[in-house]
Amino acid sequence: ARYGIRALGIQTAAVVAGGQKSGTPTAITNCENYDGTSWTNTGAMNVAKEEGAVFGIQTAGVACGGFNSSPLAETTATENFDGSTWTASGALNSLSYAAMSAGTQTAGVRAGGYLNPTSAYQSFTEEYDGSSWTSVNNLVIATAGAAPSKNGTQSAWQFSGGRSPDVTT
């Protein structure tokens, strides 16, 4: 049992990654694959991430950003997933957690989020090519914790809701 996890994939081939166990002050590296019926422990991430961004599919996923300790300490760590093993990749340009994300392992996007201890909502947008991040146009409204479509592509995706700083439509 844990919270602050992130998931990617589809109903019959999914991954949950990271999070934090209740009562512990630090994020964890645990990951599990889902085959539509049961969960199986799989390779742990190299860097613990809670409320990080994830995108892709079970055999070609990405986990990036989030925070990894308490008090909150954001990370720029990015890792690629092949279905069983996580491999370190290029660092993000911007720190935040609760960012929105979508795309594939070789064409992903991550935007917005929240930054502590400044309590600032972020408006950055970065695109991922499978090994490095490039900063592109900022969001119109700095937003964190929105519900991304997750099924969009790097060049065509949307998100809705979130906080900026109040709950927004």
Side-chain angles (χ1 to χ4, degrees), residues 144-157:
S149 65
K150 294 260 186 224
N151 59 0
T153 64
Q154 185 184 64
S155 59
W157 69 291

Side-chain angles (χ1 to χ4, degrees), residues 3-168:
Y3 63 94
I5 62 173
R6 294 298 186 250
L8 60 87
I10 60 173
Q11 182 179 6
T12 56
V15 177
V16 293
Q20 183 175 354
K21 291 186 177 184
S22 180
T24 63
T26 57
I28 58 177
T29 59
N30 300 42
C31 295
E32 300 174 51
N33 284 350
Y34 185 66
D35 64 9
T37 305
S38 60
W39 293 95
T40 305
N41 288 327
T42 189
M45 292 183 293
N46 298 299
V47 177
K49 297 171 189 68
E50 180 183 343
E51 295 193 43
V54 297
F55 53 89
I57 61 174
Q58 185 183 51
T59 56
V62 176
C64 57
F67 58 90
N68 60 5
S69 65
S70 183
L72 302 181
E74 287 87 356
T75 178
T76 59
T78 300
E79 300 181 53
N80 291 339
F81 187 62
D82 65 9
S84 61
T85 305
W86 293 92
T87 304
S89 189
L92 292 160
N93 296 307
S94 303
L95 289 169
S96 77
Y97 69 96
M100 294 71 71
S101 61
T104 67
Q105 190 178 64
T106 57
V109 61
R110 176 178 173 264
Y114 190 74
L115 184 62
N116 269 325
T118 63
S119 300
Y121 290 87
Q122 303 297 295
S123 61
F124 72 84
T125 301
E126 297 182 52
E127 293 181 344
Y128 185 64
D129 64 10
S131 62
S132 62
W133 293 92
T134 302
S135 296
V136 294
N137 295 334
N138 286 345
L139 298 172
V140 175
I141 299 171
T143 305
S149 65
K150 294 260 186 224
N151 59 0
T153 64
Q154 185 184 64
S155 59
W157 69 291
Q158 60 83 35
F159 64 87
S160 56
R163 293 185 60 96
S164 183
D166 294 322
V167 176
T168 182

